[in-house]
């Protein structure tokens, strides 16, 4: 039960009061019960058909694999960066369209960069896309409190407290990602400190190895999932991710114009690629809001109880 479904309004809730029943007429008299007929003789049973083949016993999972599936960076990242509210609506069709749009857009950007020699090599493309993803995360982190705070402020008091309570996990994923990123300066600053005592040096080496083997995959996975799931804001309400994603892409388009993105490409190509992302994301977001309204009866007004 929540603010949108108060107690007593859903299925399975007690109904009543009911009117008194009865009185019931007396039953009987019952006829006397006779003796039971003799049983048997029983026929011999068998032979039984052979059983099997039996399915193979499940393979035993080693300790290392169990630890990796429990405390590994990807396993922990799934728990931290993916929405987990039990009653949320998840539309697989929208998810597939978003992935297709992202893949096509990325392939087009890489093709333009290589075709017009905007970068020197594949390493340059990877570096540029990595910087773009991290910039998107920073802009999203700055946009998150403004959009979500405004959304909650416009809600009516019965649901405002519930929406505010649901922001705990999205904020937690944001804090976890930036806390993990904060370990990289530690690795850079301590990499050249070889004048330390042996014990401290061993601790520094162990910390750097842990950052490389655990924190780096966690951060890469977290950045990707934060962009896909918009900092798991579906845990707040299903209509929040498309709204927040639309605001984010138009902010990134403005930054591309200010920073002179795709400089060196023809003017028409620059216009197409600067506006392509916000227009396509906005179209997908509007389509997602329409599916939420028509298939699941979830609307922005309903989320705000307006």
């Amino acid at each position: 039960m929540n603010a949108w479904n108060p107690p007593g309004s859903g299925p399975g809730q007690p109904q009543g009061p009911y009117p008194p029943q009865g009185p019931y007429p007396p039953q009987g008299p019952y006829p006397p019960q006779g003796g039971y007929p003799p049983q048997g003789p029983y026929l011999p049973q068998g032979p039984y058909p052979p059983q099997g083949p039996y399915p193979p016993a499940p393979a035993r999972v080693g300790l290392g694999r169990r630890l990796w599936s429990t405390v590994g960076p990807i396993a922990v990242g799934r728990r931290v960066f993916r929405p987990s509210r039990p009653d949320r609506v998840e539309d697989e069709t929208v998810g597939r369209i978003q992935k297709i749009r992202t893949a096509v857009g990325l392939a087009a950007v890489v093709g333009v960069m290589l075709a017009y020699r905007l970068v020197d090599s594949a390493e340059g493309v990877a570096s540029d896309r990595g910087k773009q993803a991290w910039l998107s995360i920073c802009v999203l982190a700055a946009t998150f409190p403004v959009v979500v705070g405004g959304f909650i402020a416009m809600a009516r008091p019965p649901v405002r407290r519930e929406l505010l309570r649901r922001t705990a996990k999205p904020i937690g994923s944001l804090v976890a990602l930036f806390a993990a990123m904060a370990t990289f300066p530690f690795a850079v600053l301590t990499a050249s400190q070889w004048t330390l005592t042996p014990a401290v040096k061993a601790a520094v080496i162990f910390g750097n190895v842990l950052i490389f083997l655990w924190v780096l995959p966690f951060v890469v996975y977290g950045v990707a999932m934060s962009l896909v799931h918009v900092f798991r804001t579906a845990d707040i309400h299903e209509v929040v991710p498309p709204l927040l994603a639309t605001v984010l892409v138009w902010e990134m388009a403005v930054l591309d114009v200010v920073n002179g993105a795709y400089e060196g490409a023809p003017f028409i190509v620059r216009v197409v690629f600067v506006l392509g992302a916000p227009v396509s994301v906005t179209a997908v977001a509007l389509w997602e809001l329409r599916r939420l309204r028509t298939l699941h009866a979830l609307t922005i007004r309903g989320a705000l109880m307006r």
Side-chain angles (χ1 to χ4, degrees):
M1 295 297 107
N2 51 43
W4 294 273
N5 298 296
S9 63
Q13 300 298 319
Q15 307 293 329
Y18 296 101
Q21 304 294 326
Y24 298 100
Q27 304 294 325
Y30 298 99
Q33 302 296 324
Y36 295 97
Q39 304 294 326
Y42 296 99
L43 299 176
Q45 303 294 326
Y48 297 100
Q51 303 295 326
Y54 296 100
R60 299 184 62 181
V61 180
L63 177 61
R65 191 170 180 179
R66 288 201 302 270
L67 287 175
W68 180 260
S69 62
T70 304
V71 297
I74 305 303
V76 175
R78 289 193 187 99
R79 295 194 293 270
V80 173
F81 298 111
R82 301 187 69 172
S84 61
R85 182 164 57 87
D87 58 341
R88 72 184 178 91
V89 172
E90 186 174 7
D91 196 319
E92 296 181 357
T93 302
V94 174
R96 285 195 296 268
I97 294 298
Q98 290 174 337
K99 292 176 182 177
I100 293 172
R101 179 191 54 76
T102 302
V104 171
L106 181 60
V109 168
V110 172
V112 167
M113 292 180 126
L114 294 177
Y116 292 99
R117 299 184 181 275
L118 304 183
V119 291
D120 297 330
S121 61
E123 290 80 4
V125 173
S127 175
D128 182 83
R129 290 299 91 193
K131 292 177 182 178
Q132 184 76 4
W134 180 241
L135 179 61
S136 300
I137 289 294
C138 293
V139 173
L140 180 57
T143 306
F144 175 87
V146 178
V147 175
V148 174
F151 184 83
I152 295 175
M154 290 188 295
R156 292 175 62 86
V159 297
R160 190 177 299 161
R161 188 179 299 107
E162 175 73 12
L163 292 173
L164 187 61
R165 182 185 64 81
R166 291 180 178 183
T167 61
K169 290 182 178 180
I171 292 175
S173 69
L174 176 64
V175 172
L177 183 59
F178 280 89
M181 286 293 298
T183 62
F184 294 138
F186 167 82
V188 173
L189 293 174
T190 59
S192 59
Q193 301 298 322
W194 298 108
T195 60
L196 303 174
T197 62
V200 176
K201 187 186 299 184
V204 169
I205 294 175
F206 175 78
N208 289 341
V209 171
L210 182 63
I211 289 173
F212 179 76
L213 295 180
W214 198 96
V215 179
L216 181 59
F218 177 81
V219 168
V220 172
Y221 183 82
V223 169
M225 289 297 101
S226 295
L227 294 176
V228 171
H229 297 290
V230 201
F231 275 129
R232 64 183 299 177
T233 45
D235 277 341
I236 301 175
H237 198 277
E238 288 80 357
V239 301
V240 177
L243 295 177
L244 187 55
T246 302
V247 175
L248 171 66
V249 292
W250 283 104
E251 288 178 337
M252 294 301 300
V254 173
L255 288 177
D256 284 342
V257 173
V258 173
N259 295 331
Y262 312 110
E263 188 173 355
F267 176 75
I268 298 299
V269 174
R270 292 179 61 186
V271 170
V272 169
F273 277 89
V274 168
L275 295 180
V279 170
S280 62
V281 170
T282 302
V284 172
L286 293 175
W287 177 62
E288 181 178 357
L289 290 173
R290 182 179 180 276
R291 285 181 64 88
L292 288 173
R293 182 182 73 253
T294 57
L295 299 182
H296 308 288
L298 295 173
T299 63
I300 298 176
R301 292 175 61 89
L304 301 176
M305 289 192 71
R306 289 291 179 178

